[in-house]
Amino acid sequence: MKKSLFALLFVFCFASNCSCEYDSVDEISEKIVDSDLIRAKQKALDAAKARGFQELIVLRYPEAESVREKVNSNQIQRCIFDYSISNEKMAGNSYSAKFSFRFDKKRVNTLLAEYGIKISDSSESPLSDYSLIAIYRADYPACQDILTSFTVVKFSGKRIVLKINKSQKSVLLKHRIRFASVND
């Protein structure tokens, strides 16, 4: 009884101290044929990690597109919180599966900072009275009603750039909408 209570307390304390936020990338399909099944499975996982990270950059961090191909496998691995495998099929020396990844936002931001790319988080305070900011494509549906009150400078498949002042930034911060400053 004591051991189970201690384990439950440990899990609760760990969970309450882990206030990480994640970005998910789902259903990355890979099919690999290699000399043996184990090697094919490892290559499929490695390829899915790379493709998942590239998709994450396109969807959530369009300003970081220049580093997509520069990041190595070990750097990507440090950003992954966890992953899952579904539709796994194995036959002889062939392996196919769908992978889903959860990337730790803080670790991704740290990695991008190593390449000189600073991503503003909604928890950071805005610096200027008037600026251009980018809202990422993945955030459009969640904040569409709020964004209609701002001046749109540019709209693309990757992002929407808004012209806003300091008081308008507080609206984004209040609704926990992620944005990045744009130097246009």
Side-chain angles (χ1 to χ4, degrees):
M1 180 71 174
K2 277 186 176 182
K3 287 182 181 181
S4 62
L5 285 175
F6 178 73
L8 183 61
L9 180 62
F10 176 76
V11 168
F12 176 75
C13 289
F14 179 75
S16 65
N17 288 331
C18 183
S19 60
C20 300
E21 293 184 21
Y22 308 102
D23 282 321
S24 295
V25 177
D26 298 319
E27 297 201 9
I28 303 294
S29 296
E30 287 295 335
K31 182 176 182 177
I32 302 288
V33 177
D34 205 317
S35 59
D36 66 45
L37 182 61
I38 302 294
R39 194 172 288 155
K41 185 173 182 176
Q42 185 59 50
K43 284 185 177 181
L45 176 59
D46 291 342
K49 281 192 287 191
R51 283 188 46 217
F53 185 78
Q54 290 178 5
E55 189 171 316
L56 174 73
I57 294 299
V58 168
L59 292 173
R60 300 291 294 173
Y61 304 95
E63 284 73 22
E65 192 150 345
S66 63
V67 301
R68 267 183 10 172
E69 301 295 329
K70 297 177 185 175
V71 177
N72 67 44
S73 181
N74 290 334
Q75 291 172 311
I76 294 171
Q77 182 63 42
R78 287 195 313 259
C79 295
I80 295 173
F81 176 73
D82 62 10
Y83 67 94
S84 63
I85 302 172
S86 62
N87 297 347
E88 194 172 35
K89 296 177 181 143
M90 298 171 258
N93 58 353
S94 175
Y95 178 84
S96 67
K98 288 186 179 181
F99 298 85
S100 296
F101 298 93
R102 283 196 309 167
F103 292 90
D104 184 314
K105 288 182 181 181
K106 289 181 183 178
R107 290 179 183 166
V108 171
N109 286 342
T110 301
L111 174 64
L112 295 177
E114 291 174 16
Y115 287 93
I117 297 170
K118 174 79 169 94
I119 303 294
S120 296
D121 190 9
S122 61
S123 63
E124 295 178 9
S125 60
L127 300 175
S128 65
D129 288 339
Y130 190 78
S131 64
L132 298 177
I133 62 147
I135 305 292
Y136 302 104
R137 182 176 76 184
D139 290 337
Y140 290 175
C143 60
Q144 188 173 10
D145 294 340
I146 298 163
L147 298 180
T148 58
S149 63
F150 301 132
T151 304
V152 177
V153 175
K154 179 181 177 184
F155 185 86
S156 72
K158 294 181 182 177
R159 65 183 181 171
I160 182 171
V161 177
L162 305 172
K163 186 176 184 179
I164 65 171
N165 63 36
K166 192 171 187 173
S167 64
Q168 290 173 317
K169 283 185 180 179
S170 66
V171 172
L172 298 176
L173 294 169
K174 182 176 125 187
H175 290 284
R176 300 193 48 78
I177 298 171
R178 289 173 6 109
F179 61 88
S181 294
V182 178
N183 299 324
D184 285 350

